[in-house]
Amino acid sequence: MSELAHHDLSRRTLLKGGLMALATGPLLAACGVNTSGSGGEGSVNFLSTQFSPVEERQKYEATLKKFAGDIQVAYNPVDTGIFNTTLKSQLAAGKVEIGIAAGLHSDLIPFASQFEDLSSLTSDLSSAGYSDDLLELAKLGTDSPRYIPWIQATYVVAVNKKALEWLPSGADVNNLTYENFLAWAQAAKAANGGRPVFGIPAGPKGLHHRFYQGFLLPSFTGGQITTFRNADAVTAWTYMRDLWANMNPASANYDFMQEPLGNGEVLVAWDHVARLINAVQDKPDDWLMVPAPSGPKGKGYLLVVGGMAVPQGSPEKDKAFELIKALSKPEAQIETLKSNAFFPVVEADIGSDLPGGIALEAKAVKAQQEAPDAILALPPVGLGDKDPQVSQLFKNCFQEICLNNADVKATLDRQGAELASIMDTLNVPCWAPDPDADQCRVA
């Protein structure tokens, strides 16, 4: 949306309110949580784009039950399309039934002007410890807060300790360069009779496009969109082709890396923290979780931020505000970390009683975002229904360059021309780590 202001995010302080606090350190029926989708009179209808898989939903409903007190809650996790159409139709008809609309930053942007001004709620929560940058993001380009930060997550590298014997001499597993990472993958493949043991979620539902958007390109080019087809991007994708040649080729079918990690097909893998946790939680002593590598420009990493908004005209507004306050307590945030592997956005002393796998992730996440060369990247912002199309262009580059061995520069020129056309049509501002610009363009 062209009216959205660009926020010149600090590249390392965005998580200060939540993840920096990591330095220190059941399936319940809904009595108070209605799972039918309609909470009845007096309840808060909580529409969300998160925690929709059955197990994740049940775990979050247990968290709601624990912290909602006397507030009745109907938790309704849906996909982004249903979220959009439900909100749009209710707002257009002037018959809003949604009490809280919760989703990722990009999910909430289209409705910025139709969400309640949450200045008073933000003031009430001023001691929670949100970072200034998170609070700036929460304005959604307006002059006042439109959501309260809710959850955050990122991506890290899971390492089976068996793979450490092939780590290049002098390399620090907790502070890898991309050069180290490739040399390690090559050594591991050679030691296994030509069978690669590194992997990436490049399957049909895998999130490998986030690797290129938030890790590879920022680390090699310093940007995501503006640098999509420049000389540094050619270097980045040439590197990616070499790395892919030393990855388990079955990665092209992997959607979640926890499965091949769990069965030993892969020993080292990058993925979303929530898609790694099942592999390491049963035997945490067998695993390390480490930050993504650093490239010529720094250590690019992608941050996923979610917020809780209140649509204008929402019923039970006061109860919605109270529920948001309850879910913003450190105890509730830590419970969400333990159960659903999303990290606190508030200052929270998570202590030493975390499940083993979560503790490993917490250490890696903290090290990644505190790295002196960290480059913070956001998922695409403001693309609306063009978001899948843009993500597909990054996947196309992988398909052509890594799987089909196409010429790198010619591929980037071709895919970049499509991206440029889309960005010119959308007329949206840049987002981190691309430089501040009212209209984000492909150079």
Side-chain angles (χ1 to χ4, degrees):
M1 288 189 167
S2 59
E3 71 271 21
L4 292 174
H6 168 74
H7 306 307
D8 186 19
L9 296 172
S10 146
R11 296 327 192 225
R12 294 203 311 277
T13 62
L14 183 53
L15 290 94
K16 185 161 67 174
L19 298 186
M20 283 190 177
L22 299 179
T24 56
L27 305 188
L28 299 176
C31 173
V33 180
N34 182 302
T35 61
S36 69
S38 176
E41 187 176 353
S43 70
V44 175
N45 289 316
F46 193 128
L47 189 72
S48 167
T49 62
Q50 302 301 296
F51 311 137
S52 55
V54 173
E55 185 179 359
E56 291 183 17
R57 173 180 178 157
Q58 290 170 328
K59 287 178 177 178
Y60 197 66
E61 285 172 345
T63 299
L64 286 169
K65 182 191 177 194
K66 189 171 181 178
F67 292 97
D70 296 331
I71 301 172
Q72 299 288 315
V73 186
Y75 186 65
N76 302 304
V78 296
D79 67 37
T80 304
I82 294 174
F83 181 86
N84 285 338
T85 55
T86 303
L87 263 179
K88 282 179 182 176
S89 62
Q90 291 190 14
L91 287 163
K95 295 180 180 178
V96 177
E97 298 177 2
I98 299 163
I100 293 175
L104 301 183
H105 180 79
S106 56
D107 298 332
L108 301 177
I109 275 183
F111 304 98
S113 64
Q114 294 171 291
F115 287 144
E116 290 280 357
D117 179 339
L118 299 184
S119 295
S120 64
L121 189 51
T122 302
S123 178
D124 290 344
L125 293 168
S126 60
S127 63
Y130 302 108
S131 72
D132 290 342
D133 288 322
L134 272 181
L135 293 174
E136 187 64 26
L137 271 182
K139 294 179 182 178
L140 290 174
T142 70
D143 294 330
S144 56
R146 299 291 172 165
Y147 69 72
I148 298 297
W150 176 35
I151 52 175
Q152 59 184 342
T154 186
Y155 302 69
V156 295
V157 178
V159 178
N160 188 309
K161 289 181 180 178
K162 293 177 183 176
L164 292 176
E165 64 176 294
W166 309 306
L167 187 68
S169 176
D172 178 356
V173 71
N174 290 298
N175 190 25
L176 294 165
T177 65
Y178 276 98
E179 185 178 356
N180 295 152
F181 199 66
L182 175 58
W184 188 11
Q186 290 169 330
K189 178 181 177 181
N192 280 279
R195 186 181 71 85
V197 295
F198 278 52
I200 191 170
K205 297 180 181 177
L207 297 173
H208 63 123
H209 55 292
R210 297 306 193 206
F211 179 72
Y212 320 130
Q213 291 171 337
F215 292 81
L216 182 74
L217 289 180
S219 298
F220 278 81
T221 75
Q224 179 185 125
I225 299 297
T226 60
T227 59
F228 183 89
R229 58 184 174 187
N230 69 8
D232 289 335
V234 173
T235 301
W237 280 104
T238 302
Y239 170 89
M240 188 65 209
R241 181 161 61 194
D242 292 341
L243 182 63
W244 176 253
N246 293 278
M247 285 187 166
N248 188 323
S251 293
N253 301 316
Y254 296 149
D255 292 333
F256 294 74
M257 291 311 300
Q258 58 199 11
E259 295 162 8
L261 286 167
N263 64 28
E265 291 176 34
V266 169
L267 299 180
V268 179
W270 169 98
D271 206 348
H272 190 288
V273 288
R275 295 183 170 198
L276 292 172
I277 191 61
N278 286 350
V280 304
Q281 62 185 2
D282 292 336
K283 295 182 178 179
D285 291 344
D286 293 348
W287 297 88
L288 295 176
M289 295 288 219
V290 303
S294 296
K297 301 292 186 181
K299 188 184 298 293
Y301 76 100
L302 193 79
L303 175 69
V304 181
V305 182
M308 297 176 285
V310 178
Q312 292 172 6
S314 172
E316 307 298 341
K317 176 180 167 183
D318 291 344
K319 289 181 181 178
F321 276 32
E322 288 305 310
L323 181 58
I324 289 174
K325 285 183 187 178
L327 296 176
S328 301
K329 291 179 179 178
E331 300 83 2
Q333 296 266 306
I334 291 168
E335 188 73 19
T336 303
L337 171 60
K338 289 179 178 179
S339 62
N340 289 78
F342 273 77
F343 289 79
V345 290
V346 301
E347 293 281 2
D349 180 359
I350 60 176
S352 58
D353 65 338
L354 285 179
I358 295 289
L360 290 175
E361 287 191 340
K363 182 179 178 182
V365 167
K366 176 178 180 291
Q368 184 166 273
Q369 59 89 27
E370 281 190 334
D373 62 342
I375 301 174
L376 184 143
L378 291 177
V381 174
L383 303 188
D385 59 7
K386 295 293 186 183
D387 190 280
Q389 194 174 338
V390 169
S391 290
Q392 186 61 45
L393 295 179
F394 289 87
K395 295 177 183 179
N396 291 349
C397 291
F398 168 77
Q399 175 76 32
E400 294 188 23
I401 293 168
C402 298
L403 301 186
N404 299 341
N405 203 32
D407 180 80
V408 176
K409 187 176 187 303
T411 299
L412 293 182
D413 285 344
R414 186 167 56 255
Q415 300 296 329
E418 286 195 43
L419 179 60
S421 177
I422 293 171
M423 298 306 296
D424 288 347
T425 301
L426 287 173
N427 190 29
V428 294
C430 283
W431 55 89
D434 283 305
D436 189 2
D438 289 337
Q439 181 172 358
C440 205
R441 296 181 182 272
V442 181

